């Protein structure tokens, strides 16, 4: 009797979780989740996913216009071997604020340039598992990302935490400026998870009704 009860209870929990996931995906894809009902009074705890090269340049162009007093503390998440981006972030922080209320977090790359898609499945799973305690510890209010593979594990864990009521995080995705006619692989994934989906070309706005055209960042 006890065993049967536990099995039935387990099925009920799984059914509730699946329902919750489908509900949030529906809310995201229909555009209802991009609005907030409660104005923020406290600083916004922000995770900023940093890619390399052009991704870093675009993200810096975006965040350098933010009021760092309102977006604090800031957690910059980047690939473990990305030293160049770390230097750029430190320079930006030194210029923008004297509080230095930020942290740099290094995580394993989910996919290296040129890596096969088959092997990238395993490296992505490893990166996702690696990110679980990071997201659990931070539980950010906002997650900013613009397309590098590094953002996928963080966004997936953040979304799952939202589903499990462990966090209440807004995921904001900005598609790269180099994407003029089609979405990046990260964009195609985050269509289902990102509360706000921002694009830099009108042609992409036409392809996704809920996308928000913001013009060119760089």
């Amino acid at each position: 009797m006890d065993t049967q009860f536990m099995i039935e209870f387990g099925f009920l929990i799984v059914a509730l979780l699946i329902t919750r996931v489908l509900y949030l995906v529906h809310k995201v894809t229909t555009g209802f989740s991009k609005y907030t009902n409660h104005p923020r009074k406290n600083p916004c705890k922000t995770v900023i996913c940093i890619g390399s090269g052009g991704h870093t340049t675009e993200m810096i162009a975006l965040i350098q216009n933010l009021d760092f007093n309102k977006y604090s503390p800031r957690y910059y998440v980047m690939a473990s071997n990305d030293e160049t981006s770390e230097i750029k972030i430190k320079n930006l922080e030194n210029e923008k604020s004297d509080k230095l209320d930020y942290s740099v977090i290094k995580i394993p790359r989910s996919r290296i340039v040129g890596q096969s898609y088959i092997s990238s499945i395993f490296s992505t799973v490893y990166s996702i598992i690696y990110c679980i305690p990071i997201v659990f510890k931070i539980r950010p209010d906002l997650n900013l990302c613009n397309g590098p593979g590094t953002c996928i594990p963080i966004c997936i864990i953040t979304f799952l935490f939202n589903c499990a009521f462990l966090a209440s995080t807004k995921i904001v995705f900005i598609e790269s400026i180099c994407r003029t006619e089609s979405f990046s692989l990260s964009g195609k994934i985050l269509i289902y998870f990102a509360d706000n989906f921002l694009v830099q070309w009108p042609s992409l706005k036409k392809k996704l009704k809920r996308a928000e055209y913001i013009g060119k960042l760089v």
Side-chain angles (χ1 to χ4, degrees):
M1 183 67 177
D2 291 339
T3 302
Q4 182 179 355
F5 172 78
M6 293 301 295
I7 292 175
E8 292 176 351
F9 182 74
F11 276 119
L12 176 61
I13 294 298
V14 171
L16 290 174
L17 287 175
I18 292 175
T19 301
R20 171 70 174 169
V21 169
L22 293 176
Y23 167 73
L24 287 186
V25 168
H26 172 74
K27 194 174 180 181
V28 164
T29 53
T30 52
F32 286 106
S33 68
K34 66 181 178 181
Y35 303 107
T36 180
N37 297 324
H38 306 288
R40 174 167 294 279
K41 297 180 180 179
N42 300 318
C44 183
K45 190 162 43 174
T46 305
V47 162
I48 304 168
C49 298
I50 300 294
S52 57
H55 287 298
T56 301
T57 301
E58 288 183 39
M59 183 57 76
I60 288 177
L62 173 68
I63 63 177
Q64 67 182 0
N65 295 317
L66 297 179
D67 182 347
F68 276 16
N69 293 318
K70 295 181 179 179
Y71 295 86
S72 176
R74 295 167 299 285
Y75 301 89
Y76 296 94
V77 179
M78 62 187 68
S80 55
N81 60 347
D82 191 352
E83 297 180 1
T84 303
S85 294
E86 183 176 2
I87 293 172
K88 292 180 179 179
I89 291 302
K90 289 181 177 179
N91 290 338
L92 173 66
E93 285 286 341
N94 289 330
E95 293 173 3
K96 284 275 294 180
S97 175
D98 54 4
K99 293 182 180 179
L100 300 183
D101 191 14
Y102 77 99
S103 301
V104 173
I105 300 172
K106 299 292 190 75
I107 67 173
R109 282 187 180 274
S110 55
R111 184 174 184 269
I112 301 172
V113 177
Q115 182 180 355
S116 68
Y117 286 105
I118 298 297
S119 62
S120 67
I121 294 175
F122 298 99
S123 57
T124 300
V125 170
Y126 172 69
S127 186
I128 290 173
I129 295 173
Y130 187 93
C131 290
I132 292 176
I134 295 174
V135 178
F136 182 78
K137 181 179 180 180
I138 299 174
R139 281 187 255 195
D141 302 307
L142 174 65
N143 188 350
L144 281 176
C145 53
N146 69 328
T150 308
C151 75
I152 297 300
I154 292 290
C155 290
I156 289 177
I157 294 301
T158 298
F159 180 79
L160 292 177
F161 273 29
N162 286 343
C163 292
F165 300 99
L166 294 174
S168 181
T169 307
K170 286 289 184 182
I171 301 174
V172 177
F173 174 75
I174 307 99
E175 184 61 277
S176 174
I177 193 172
C178 67
R179 290 290 174 170
T180 60
E181 298 295 336
S182 63
F183 298 116
S184 63
L185 177 58
S186 296
K188 291 175 181 177
I189 295 173
L190 292 179
I191 282 175
Y192 304 99
F193 302 131
D195 299 289
N196 296 81
F197 198 101
L198 313 181
V199 297
Q200 301 184 58
W201 293 93
S203 53
L204 290 184
K205 164 64 179 174
K206 295 177 181 178
K207 294 190 175 183
L208 184 64
K209 184 178 180 180
R210 73 178 184 91
E212 301 168 68
Y213 172 60
I214 58 171
K216 300 175 182 60
L217 294 176
V218 292

